[in-house]
Amino acid sequence: MDQLGALGAFVQTAETGSFVAAARKLGLGASAVGKAVARLEARLQVQLFHRNTRKMALTQEGRLFLERCQRIFAEIEAAEEELAQTHVAPRGKLKVSLPLVAMLLTPVLADFMTAYPQIQLDLDFNDRLVDVVEEGFDVVLRTGQPSDSRLMSRNAGRFRLMIVAAPGYLAEYGTPSCPADLVVHRCLRGRSPTTGKLRPWPITSDVGQRIVIPETMSASVIDPLIDLAVSGHGIACLPPFAIRREIQDGRLVSLLDTYMRETEQFSILWPASRKVTPKLRAFIDFMAANLTPNVKEVTTPSSSPWGDRGEPS
C-alpha cells in the first residue's frame, strides 16, 4: 500500500506540475508528497523529475514511468467499476479519439451524454494515426478498416460518399452526366492531413477506367469544402452525414450516384489487452447503435451483444 501511495503521489505531481498542487488533490501536505516521490526515486534508483527553484519537469525516465503508472491506475479504476457494475450506473472518464469529420456527429455524442450523465467524455479530434495503447485512449472511432492487431473492433455502420454541387454552379458550368465529364469541372478536393495526399474519389467510368479528377482547390478539413460547394465554387466528394441538411434544403444536389463504387465504414476500436469496463461497453454499444448515418432516431441503452469476456459475440 505504501508503494501504491508513492505511485499516486508521483502521478499527481507529474499531472499537476508541483508537489503543492498534488498535495491539494491528495489531501496531504506538500512535504509528505515530496518525501514520497523522493523515496520512490531512491527505491527505483532513477531521477523522475528535473527540479529547480521555479519549476519541475519529468525526465525521460519519468515520462516512461508515468505512462505505465497511468495504465496501472486505469486498471484499478476498471476493476472497481467492474465490481460495482451490477448496482452502479457506468461512470468515470472515458478518453476518446475521433476523426475531425466526427465533429459533425456531435448530436450523437450529446445524446450519449444525456443517456449516461455519469460518464465524463475526454474527446480528442484529429486525423493522425494515434497509438491507442501507448497514448492511453480508452476507445477510438475511425473511418475505414482497422489494421492494428492489438485492437478489438466493431463495425458502427457503413456509408457511401456523395458527389455534390450547388444548383447555381450546375446552371453556370453544366451538369456532368458521366464521370469523364468531371475533367472539365472545378473540383474541390480533400487532402489527408497526415500524408498530404489528395483523397481519391471512389468513382469509375462506364468502361471501368479511373478518372483523373482535377484539383481546383484542396483542404485537409471538410468544412471549407462544404462551404465552397454550397457557394457554387465547384463539385465536391463528401460523406452524406456531413451534408444531410444541404441536400434536404436543396443547397446541394447529388450527382453520378450510380458510379460510386465504394462504401466507407465507421469502426470502433479499443485495446484488446484491457478489460472492457461498463463505461467503455456503454460507449461502444451506444455508438454502434446510433452512429450509422441512416438512423434517424437515437435509441436508448439496451441489452448488448457481448459475451462474458467483454467482446462482441
Side-chain angles (χ1 to χ4, degrees):
M1 292 301 295
D2 288 341
Q3 292 182 5
L4 191 59
L7 293 182
F10 163 68
V11 170
Q12 289 296 336
T13 301
E15 292 181 344
T16 60
S18 73
F19 291 140
V20 174
R24 189 178 301 116
K25 293 194 70 173
L26 293 170
L28 301 172
S31 61
V33 174
K35 289 178 181 178
V37 172
R39 287 195 298 270
L40 181 61
E41 290 178 321
R43 182 163 59 84
L44 297 175
Q45 297 184 341
V46 67
Q47 184 178 356
L48 299 173
F49 292 100
H50 294 298
R51 304 175 177 85
N52 58 40
T53 56
R54 294 193 304 173
K55 64 179 181 178
M56 59 192 308
L58 286 167
T59 62
Q60 178 63 27
E61 293 81 4
R63 285 193 292 270
L64 294 173
F65 192 56
L66 175 63
E67 292 177 2
R68 182 63 62 87
C69 289
Q70 287 173 327
R71 289 200 290 271
I72 290 172
F73 283 106
E75 288 295 329
I76 293 174
E77 180 186 0
E80 292 175 346
E81 289 185 359
E82 183 179 353
L83 188 63
Q85 66 178 311
T86 57
H87 60 278
V88 176
R91 62 189 306 161
K93 179 179 287 189
L94 198 66
K95 188 175 181 181
V96 187
S97 176
L98 307 100
L100 289 172
V101 70
M103 288 183 179
L104 299 165
L105 299 172
T106 50
V108 179
L109 295 170
D111 288 324
F112 175 81
M113 294 173 65
T114 300
Y116 296 98
Q118 297 186 66
I119 297 179
Q120 178 185 354
L121 293 180
D122 180 357
L123 305 178
D124 177 62
F125 288 92
N126 67 76
D127 282 332
R128 67 183 178 85
L129 187 63
V130 301
D131 190 315
V132 181
V133 176
E134 292 302 320
E135 296 184 48
F137 286 105
D138 296 300
V139 61
V140 172
L141 176 67
R142 284 293 182 267
T143 56
Q145 294 288 339
S147 59
D148 193 331
S149 61
R150 299 174 302 167
L151 304 178
M152 296 293 294
S153 68
R154 185 167 173 185
N155 187 345
R158 301 181 69 84
F159 60 94
R160 185 173 66 176
L161 297 174
M162 298 176 67
I163 305 293
V164 295
Y169 172 88
L170 298 176
E172 181 175 355
Y173 294 95
T175 301
S177 59
C178 67
D181 292 345
L182 292 172
V183 298
V184 297
H185 278 271
R186 300 175 60 83
C187 294
L188 312 173
R189 304 291 306 274
R191 186 179 294 276
S192 169
T194 53
T195 66
K197 295 181 179 180
L198 291 172
R199 297 188 186 277
W201 287 14
I203 191 169
T204 54
S205 70
D206 294 310
V207 294
Q209 296 177 334
R210 285 186 176 272
I211 304 300
V212 179
I213 307 297
E215 177 192 355
T216 300
M217 172 269 184
S218 65
S220 60
V221 291
I222 200 170
D223 301 76
L225 299 178
I226 298 174
D227 291 342
L228 289 171
V230 170
S231 299
H233 290 284
I235 298 175
C237 182
L238 300 166
F241 55 86
I243 51 174
R244 183 180 291 114
R245 290 182 179 177
E246 288 80 2
I247 292 292
Q248 289 176 345
D249 62 23
R251 286 181 291 161
L252 288 177
V253 176
S254 180
L255 308 169
L256 306 174
D257 288 342
T258 58
Y259 294 95
M260 301 303 288
R261 60 176 173 81
E262 293 178 355
T263 57
E264 297 281 343
Q265 79 171 48
F266 279 114
S267 294
I268 307 172
L269 312 169
W270 66 96
S273 59
R274 299 180 195 168
K275 183 68 176 179
V276 176
T277 61
K279 63 183 179 182
L280 176 56
R281 182 175 302 187
F283 184 85
I284 294 170
D285 285 345
F286 192 92
M287 290 296 119
N290 296 292
L291 200 59
T292 305
N294 292 330
V295 174
K296 296 186 181 299
E297 294 184 2
V298 173
T299 61
T300 56
S302 59
S303 59
S304 60
W306 296 83
D308 293 336
R309 296 181 61 248
E311 299 173 3
S313 57

